Amino acid sequence: MVIFMAKVMGLTGNEAIAYAVKQCNVDVVAAYPITPQTVMVEVISEYIYNGEMDAEFICVESEHSAMSACIGASLAGARVFTGTASQGLALMHEMLYIASGLRCPIVMGVANRALSAPLNIHGDHSDMMGSRDCGWIQIYAENVQEAYDWTIQAFKIAEDPRVLLPVSVNIDGFILSHCVENVFVLEDDVVARFLPPRKPLITIDPTNPITVGAMCLPDYYFEVKFQQFQTLNESLKVIREVTKEYESLSGRKYDVLEAYAMEDAEAAILCIGSTAGTAKEVAKGLRREGKKVGVVKLWVYRPFPQEDLIKALGDVKALAVLDRAFSFGAPFNALCSDVISTLYKYRKDIRVFNCVYGLGGRDITPMEIRGIFEETLEIADTGRLKEYVRFIGVRE
Amino acid sequence: MVLVEVRWHGRGGQGIVTVSRILAQAALLDGKYAQSFPEFGPERRGAPVTGYTRISDEPILIHSQIYNPNIVVVVDPTLIGKVDVIRGLSPKGLVVAHASRGPDELKKILGVSDVSVYTVDAMKIALEVLGRPIYNTAMLGALLKAYPLVTMDSLVKVIRERFPGAVGEKNVAAIKRAYEEAIGVE
Amino acid sequence: MSETGRKMGWKELPIGGYLLEPGSSMKYKTGDWRAFRPIIDQKKCVNCLLCWIYCPDGAIIRLEKNVDVNYDYCKGCGICANECPVKCISMVEEKW
């Protein structure tokens, strides 16, 4: 294995994604600034202005227009990036489905933030969870390094001819978007070799006209959407291939999920994003006390890595699934619903409870996570669940 | 070095985010792992703000805020008595404060015993060296005197990169003078 | 996409519902949607081309000295008859 020399930089999540986008030789960026994503596109626009990046920056009047411009550019064969958060993602909502339906390999950085009302600019997963069924590949980074690494891998995954689907790289708003951390960056030429210029299969081209986005009636719509559905499910294979190739040049191992201390774990926490890091730190401490706890972190949330999850859970007896968003009126919240559906499908009997935490940027503390672990251990011991859904730290 | 957690107290506009980031960048040059992040809120000029820095030899997994800092740096002296600057400070912790009064007196004001206290008159240094009342970088010098969290070489390198030219040199001078002038009690 | 014949399955379809053949809508003969058929009285027609301008489907054919209707695509909306200044187009019910 050849590990290329890497230099270390101190970057925020927003800056790391922007730096990766620069190295990925993106052709078109159409974006509208919104907290906490603002710096992400600000830095990209600086790169373009300084001549460090040869791309077209389209200043649009809304996120709906941003995604529309991205779709057009992507169909024309360009490598396209955009970034957004919260209300911006919500405003894009209808175009998200068109981007995936028209099989545009757009990459989008999302600095996850709460949704109004009431107005809140801080981090939670309400925005992307509200768009979880939009047909995009959805990846959540735990730290700034992962934000950088996944952005580069995202283009490779999206543009693979077996995939041709948009990818969102999610970072927790403020917690990662505004946090400076060590980032080992690859040399420009290493990224260029990993990610050669995009070779689109079909493009919109006046000299060779095709029709894109035509009306599709009941006789064909189902088949077209089924094709998209299958492609998204099968993209897990490509995602894994890309992570293997990326590992060979970065030395950093990625997959569709990460299982931490799960080999002999009896109780575990499953979560996505930056909280996974805090959970691993707490698990490390509990392991030192002899407690058999582990953490499962999903990198890829869509397509949901069902088989990998079952394998990762091993012989766990009790599991706490942490959701940083509400699914109003649902029996469980988004992530937990998916976990429970998977367990049902594979006839796996694990006691599962759902913890909703950190809405609107409320910090989740190591002590709270320790409390969740202790409760999970107790359930593993007694086999008795007290509550199906808990709300961490909410005041009466 | 095991994980060291630093909390910065200042006011919006005093460069708390900047100084926390400079410290993290210097740690990075020393080959350590670092995190720097602000207390996320609607930052307004003049309002009390908080910044955080984590430095460790090992990769830092934790992503919660800092509740039990090892070190507290008070950049704005007027916050003492208004903000609970020693909240959660770990036993045998360290307070580095911008103050015209000495560390003994500050220790009494803060009502702490098992904590080291360092003070420096950063405003005086800033006015004399920089010619402007910008005293955030001087506090880095005082911090280094109290605890060798990062090397002076790395810190100077980061400062020169962040503020090229004469501004950088003046800031380096302010840091070095604060390092000399900071006094502490165990 | 013709309404008769074998329909393609999801594996055969081009991605994203793209139509790779330009102008393939010509294959879709919309004339059978028609309930009323426009009949042009060629003796009264002054070839002013207003019907040609107004037809939303481009189903009016321009000939050397007069116009005619392309019944493969005319949906029978009657706009031509409504706009004709000399009232030479009559809408006649289709009989099957």
Side-chain angles (χ1 to χ4, degrees), chain A residues 10-13 15 144 176 178-182, chain B residues 21 24-25 28 34-37:
Chain A
L11 299 172
T12 63
E15 291 163 355
V144 177
L176 296 182
H178 286 61
C179 179
V180 178
E181 288 184 336
N182 300 48
Chain B
R21 183 167 188 162
Q25 300 270 16
L28 215 116
Q35 265 183 3
S36 161
F37 53 100

Side-chain angles (χ1 to χ4, degrees), chain A residues 75 101-104 164 202 209-214 216-217 219-220 223-224 226-227 230 234, chain C residues 1-3 6-24 28:
Chain A
L75 289 171
L102 292 181
R103 310 291 299 275
C104 299
L164 292 174
I202 316 162
I210 58 167
T211 304
V212 170
C216 193
L217 294 172
D219 59 347
Y220 272 100
E223 279 70 26
V224 173
F226 186 75
Q227 187 189 58
Q230 284 291 91
E234 285 165 11
Chain C
M1 289 172 188
S2 161
E3 287 180 23
R6 199 188 71 85
K7 291 187 178 76
M8 282 188 279
W10 68 270
K11 288 181 181 172
E12 305 162 81
L13 285 167
I15 61 160
Y18 292 10
L19 303 174
L20 304 179
E21 184 189 341
S24 62
Y28 200 167

Side-chain angles (χ1 to χ4, degrees), chain A residues 181-196:
Chain A
E181 288 184 336
N182 300 48
V183 184
F184 294 93
V185 298
L186 300 170
E187 294 299 331
D188 291 353
D189 61 320
V190 174
V191 178
R193 273 200 301 279
F194 174 73
L195 191 69

Side-chain angles (χ1 to χ4, degrees), chain B residues 73-88:
Chain B
V73 186
V74 185
V75 176
D76 188 307
T78 67
L79 288 173
I80 294 167
K82 294 197 183 82
V83 171
D84 184 9
V85 295
I86 53 162
R87 170 175 39 96

Side-chain angles (χ1 to χ4, degrees), chain A residues 100-101 103 133-137 160-165 221-239 302-304 306 345, chain C residues 9-13 15-16:
Chain A
S100 59
R103 310 291 299 275
D133 293 335
C134 68
W136 286 52
I137 292 171
D160 188 291
R162 294 165 294 172
V163 178
L164 292 174
L165 286 169
Y221 182 85
F222 205 164
E223 279 70 26
V224 173
K225 295 315 274 186
F226 186 75
Q227 187 189 58
Q228 184 191 336
F229 174 83
Q230 284 291 91
T231 308
L232 180 62
N233 287 340
E234 285 165 11
S235 70
L236 276 177
K237 186 174 164 281
V238 178
I239 296 170
R302 284 288 184 268
F304 197 77
Q306 304 169 38
K345 206 166 151 181
Chain C
W10 68 270
K11 288 181 181 172
E12 305 162 81
L13 285 167
I15 61 160

Side-chain angles (χ1 to χ4, degrees), chain A residues 85-357:
Chain A
S86 183
Q87 308 305 121
L89 187 69
L91 184 54
M92 279 184 185
H93 191 68
E94 69 163 327
M95 303 316 292
L96 296 178
Y97 284 75
I98 295 175
S100 59
L102 292 181
R103 310 291 299 275
C104 299
I106 298 162
V107 173
M108 172 165 66
V110 183
N112 298 116
R113 165 186 148 183
L115 287 174
S116 287
L119 178 63
N120 180 296
I121 59 166
H122 297 273
D124 74 28
H125 297 151
S126 305
D127 51 5
M128 202 66 221
M129 284 300 166
S131 291
R132 67 186 181 275
D133 293 335
C134 68
W136 286 52
I137 292 171
Q138 293 162 36
I139 293 165
Y140 285 82
E142 179 195 312
N143 52 42
V144 177
Q145 179 72 58
E146 291 189 6
Y148 169 81
D149 290 330
W150 275 117
T151 303
I152 296 170
Q153 295 177 88
F155 283 104
K156 184 102 169 180
I157 294 162
E159 294 172 9
D160 188 291
R162 294 165 294 172
V163 178
L164 292 174
L165 286 169
V167 181
S168 73
V169 177
N170 293 268
I171 54 172
D172 285 336
F174 287 106
I175 299 166
L176 296 182
S177 69
H178 286 61
C179 179
V180 178
E181 288 184 336
N182 300 48
V183 184
F184 294 93
V185 298
L186 300 170
E187 294 299 331
D188 291 353
D189 61 320
V190 174
V191 178
R193 273 200 301 279
F194 174 73
L195 191 69
R198 185 183 160 200
K199 286 192 205 72
L201 291 181
I202 316 162
T203 58
I204 46 170
D205 170 11
T207 61
N208 186 19
I210 58 167
T211 304
V212 170
M215 167 104 121
C216 193
L217 294 172
D219 59 347
Y220 272 100
Y221 182 85
F222 205 164
E223 279 70 26
V224 173
K225 295 315 274 186
F226 186 75
Q227 187 189 58
Q228 184 191 336
F229 174 83
Q230 284 291 91
T231 308
L232 180 62
N233 287 340
E234 285 165 11
S235 70
L236 276 177
K237 186 174 164 281
V238 178
I239 296 170
R240 196 171 280 116
E241 274 177 35
V242 169
T243 61
K244 291 271 180 298
E245 190 186 338
Y246 192 77
E247 186 188 350
S248 73
L249 55 96
S250 69
R252 290 185 291 277
K253 193 173 166 53
Y254 288 94
D255 204 321
V256 296
L257 57 76
E258 182 190 3
Y260 178 87
M262 287 300 291
E263 300 76 27
D264 60 342
E266 287 174 2
I269 280 180
L270 185 145
C271 61
I272 54 176
S274 65
T275 307
T278 312
K280 285 192 278 185
E281 184 66 34
V282 175
K284 209 196 284 178
L286 286 167
R287 279 274 172 183
R288 278 197 291 269
E289 296 171 23
K291 308 270 171 60
K292 291 188 170 175
V293 295
V295 178
V296 177
K297 168 185 78 179
L298 300 191
W299 269 309
V300 179
Y301 174 63
R302 284 288 184 268
F304 197 77
Q306 304 169 38
E307 278 179 37
D308 295 86
L309 174 61
I310 294 297
K311 219 179 290 167
L313 289 175
D315 295 323
V316 151
K317 296 193 186 103
L319 177 70
V321 181
L322 274 53
D323 264 290
R324 203 167 198 152
F326 270 132
S327 290
F328 292 105
F332 290 97
N333 299 284
L335 185 55
C336 194
S337 289
D338 291 319
V339 170
I340 288 175
S341 304
T342 306
L343 295 179
Y344 175 76
K345 206 166 151 181
Y346 288 81
R347 304 192 177 279
K348 189 121 179 157
D349 188 22
I350 297 176
R351 307 280 101 175
V352 179
F353 71 108
N354 191 190
C355 298
V356 182
Y357 76 100

Side-chain angles (χ1 to χ4, degrees), chain B residues 153-169:
Chain B
D153 282 355
S154 296
L155 184 61
V156 167
K157 216 169 153 189
V158 173
I159 291 284
R160 287 190 173 133
E161 204 173 295
R162 180 73 166 72
F163 308 106
V167 181
E169 294 314 315

